[in-house]
Structures are given as structure tokens and as C-alpha cells.
């Protein structure tokens, strides 16, 4: 996956890296807005897992549902920390597993191909306990909050159609299941049920987790990969083969395993 990285150098003399999925149409809009607000903006299309910037280059790093969709989110997250200055601010938005988008991901996983051990479940990035564990050794002043996005639509099926035509993985899945009408109908039924629980007054509510922290003074090794192999393997070993019905148990157990693996990883680094 390619990502946008924007460096903003405005009147406040602060450099900001804005990290999100590539969207060329949105880029044109942001370029126009930059001119309106008289901002000097450099746009870089780059690999989110290998940012083309020196260590400690930015005062602020922002990821708006960006790094969590990289092929290896923990690697992309490690890169964000690498280019952030000590005492710099990192802020990102992710989807909580227990709310609409988290449940939507679980439905996609239920009907799609199984995750490999090299694939990190997206739902981990919306869990407060796991995020706190991942940040605690790297950052101070960790703050969590929630906000809401809304999608207008006249009905639940119309909202579902927005996802079917606009969300790449679901669009591909619908095309694949077009030859299996009973399974496609089951997929659509599950999505409609989930949407209906967050649909009111012709709006779909999509609540998300917002995380903000300040990078501490501890030196982070160049190309340090946050969420080490030990952490991920502990999670994947348990998660592999599980279904969405075990989500609550998974979150409880994975958080515990993450803490143990993170502690072991931290001791190894200190040694």
C-alpha cells in the first residue's frame, strides 16, 4: 500500500507529517485548501513502511485511519515514531472492534479468505488497552478519546451499497460471491443487521478511537519496529482460526499476551 506523507511548514514553524491512504482526488482538494489558507505544503507519495525522512524530522505525526491499513501496520507505526522528534506529538484515529467499523471488519473476515500469520488484525488498533501497551514504553501523556463520523443515507440497503461500491475489500468480495448467491445474501444480511444497529434518522453513526501521545526522550533505534515479532506472534498464534464470535475472549487474552510479550521485548532491548 502506498501512503501520502505531507510536510507542512507554516507560520508556526512546525513540521507535520500527515499519514493516510492514497486518494488522489482528495489530494487535489487539499492542495486547493492549502492555497486558500496560505500553507506551504510538500506532498510525498511514499511507502508507509519505509518513510523517506531522517530520524526525528517532524514535530507532529498524524494518521487518520492510515497506518492501520498498511500491509504491516506495526512497521508503519514504527516508522512514524522514528521520524518524530523527542517530545513531539503523535495523534491517530482508529476503529474500535466493538463498534460499527470493527464489527464490519469482522464480517469481512468471516466471509473472506482467512488471515495469514503475517497479517495483523485491524481490530487491534482500536483497543485502548492494547494501544496503551504499545505506546507506554515510547510515549508519555497518552490520551484517549472518541469522536463520531456520520454517513447520510435514506435506508440501510443504500448505506450498504455505499460500502459495496466504495470499500475495496468488500467490493471484491461481492464480486467473488456473485456466483454463490446464498453466501452473498448471508453476507449482505449480516452487514444490514450491523448497519441497522447504528442507523438513525437517515444517518449511520461510525464512532472511532482517537489517540494522542508525546514521544518520550528515550532513544528509539533507527528503523525500530513497534510491536515486535514476539508481540505479533503471540497474538497471531492465538487468533489464527478463530471466528468473530470469540472476539470478546480474543481481546481479553490478546491484551494479556501483548503485555507479556511487550515486557519480554522491552527487557531484550534494554539488555
Amino acid at each position: 500500500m502506498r501512503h501520502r506523507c505531507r510536510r507542512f511548514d507554516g507560520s508556526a514553524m512546525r513540521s507535520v507529517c500527515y499519514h493516510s491512504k492514497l486518494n488522489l482526488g482528495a489530494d487535489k482538494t487539499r492542495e486547493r485548501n492549502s492555497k486558500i489558507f496560505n500553507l506551504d505544503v510538500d506532498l510525498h507519495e511514499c511507502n508507509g513502511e519505509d518513510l523517506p525522512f531522517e530520524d526525528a524530522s517532524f514535530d507532529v505525526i498524524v494518521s487518520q485511519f492510515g497506518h492501520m491499513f498498511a500491509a504491516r501496520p506495526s512497521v508503519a507505526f514504527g516508522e512514524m515514531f522514528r521520524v518524530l522528534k523527542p517530545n513531539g506529538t503523535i495523534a491517530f484515529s482508529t476503529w474500535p472492534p466493538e463498534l460499527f467499523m470493527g464489527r464490519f471488519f469482522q464480517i469481512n473476515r468471516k466471509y473472506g479468505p482467512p488471515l495469514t500469520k503475517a497479517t495483523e488484525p485491524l481490530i487491534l488498533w482500536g483497543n485502548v488497552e492494547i494501544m496503551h501497551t504499545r505506546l507506554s514504553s515510547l510515549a508519555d501523556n497518552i490520551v484517549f478519546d472518541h469522536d463520531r463520523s456520520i454517513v447520510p443515507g435514506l435506508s440501510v440497503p443504500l448505506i450498504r451499497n455505499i460500502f459495496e461500491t466504495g470499500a475495496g475489500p468488500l467490493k471484491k468480495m461481492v464480486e467473488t460471491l456473485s456466483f454463490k448467491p446464498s453466501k452473498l445474501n448471508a453476507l449482505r444480511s449480516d452487514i444490514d443487521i450491523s448497519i441497522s444497529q447504528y442507523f438513525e434518522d437517515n444517518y449511520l453513526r461510525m464512532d472511532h478511537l482517537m489517540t494522542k501521545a508525546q514521544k518520550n526522550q528515550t532513544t528509539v533505534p533507527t528503523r525500530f519496529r513497534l510491536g515486535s515479532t514476539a508481540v505479533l506472534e503471540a497474538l497471531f498464534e492465538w487468533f489464527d482460526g478463530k471466528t468473530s464470535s470469540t472476539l470478546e475472549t480474543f481481546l481479553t487474552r490478546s491484551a494479556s499476551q501483548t503485555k507479556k510479550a511487550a515486557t519480554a521485548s522491552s527487557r531484550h532491548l534494554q539488555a
Side-chain angles (χ1 to χ4, degrees), residues 37-256:
F37 289 99
N38 194 29
L39 293 174
D40 181 14
V41 179
D42 293 330
L43 175 63
H44 300 264
E45 179 184 346
C46 55
N47 185 345
E49 297 179 2
D50 188 19
L51 297 179
F53 305 111
E54 298 295 326
D55 296 0
S57 298
F58 294 93
D59 299 292
V60 179
I61 303 287
V62 179
S63 175
Q64 185 76 353
F65 312 112
H67 70 278
M68 66 180 293
F69 288 100
R72 297 177 297 174
S74 292
V75 175
F77 199 45
E79 278 291 274
M80 292 161 62
F81 258 94
R82 180 184 65 80
V83 301
L84 182 63
K85 296 177 182 178
N87 293 321
T89 298
I90 184 169
F92 53 92
S93 296
T94 50
W95 299 111
E98 71 278 8
L99 299 178
F100 172 73
M101 283 303 298
R103 297 173 64 178
F104 178 76
F105 294 148
Q106 290 296 299
I107 293 172
N108 275 265
R109 183 176 183 273
K110 175 182 175 181
Y111 290 91
L115 290 175
T116 66
K117 289 190 177 183
T119 303
E120 182 175 347
L122 295 175
I123 58 173
L124 299 181
W125 292 92
N127 181 275
V128 170
E129 186 175 0
I130 292 175
M131 285 300 93
H132 192 276
T133 298
R134 292 184 172 184
L135 286 167
S136 59
S137 64
L138 300 173
D140 300 315
N141 302 320
I142 304 171
V143 178
F144 298 102
D145 204 347
H146 287 87
D147 203 353
R148 174 175 294 175
S149 302
I150 57 174
V151 176
L154 294 178
S155 67
V156 168
L158 286 176
I159 292 288
R160 170 173 39 82
N161 185 65
I162 293 175
F163 285 97
E164 287 189 6
T165 57
L170 179 60
K171 182 178 180 180
K172 184 176 181 180
M173 193 183 307
V174 169
E175 293 173 353
T176 301
L177 294 180
S178 61
F179 301 100
K180 300 178 180 179
S182 60
K183 193 170 183 179
L184 178 58
N185 289 336
L187 166 66
R188 285 173 166 165
S189 176
D190 282 354
I191 293 175
D192 285 353
I193 291 172
S194 185
I195 291 174
S196 66
Q197 293 171 338
Y198 298 90
F199 185 74
E200 186 177 7
D201 296 330
N202 293 332
Y203 286 100
L204 170 66
R205 307 187 312 275
M206 299 194 303
D207 294 271
H208 56 269
L209 175 67
M210 298 188 299
T211 304
K212 184 174 73 171
Q214 194 171 21
K215 182 178 176 180
N216 59 31
Q217 293 287 350
T218 303
T219 301
V220 178
T222 302
R223 305 294 179 188
F224 173 73
R225 303 313 190 194
L226 186 67
S228 66
T229 302
V231 178
L232 297 181
E233 286 182 350
L235 290 170
F236 298 152
E237 180 181 355
W238 192 89
F239 190 82
D240 188 47
K242 299 299 184 294
T243 64
S244 57
S245 63
T246 60
L247 175 59
E248 183 177 355
T249 304
F250 160 69
L251 289 174
T252 302
R253 184 168 178 178
S254 64
S256 175

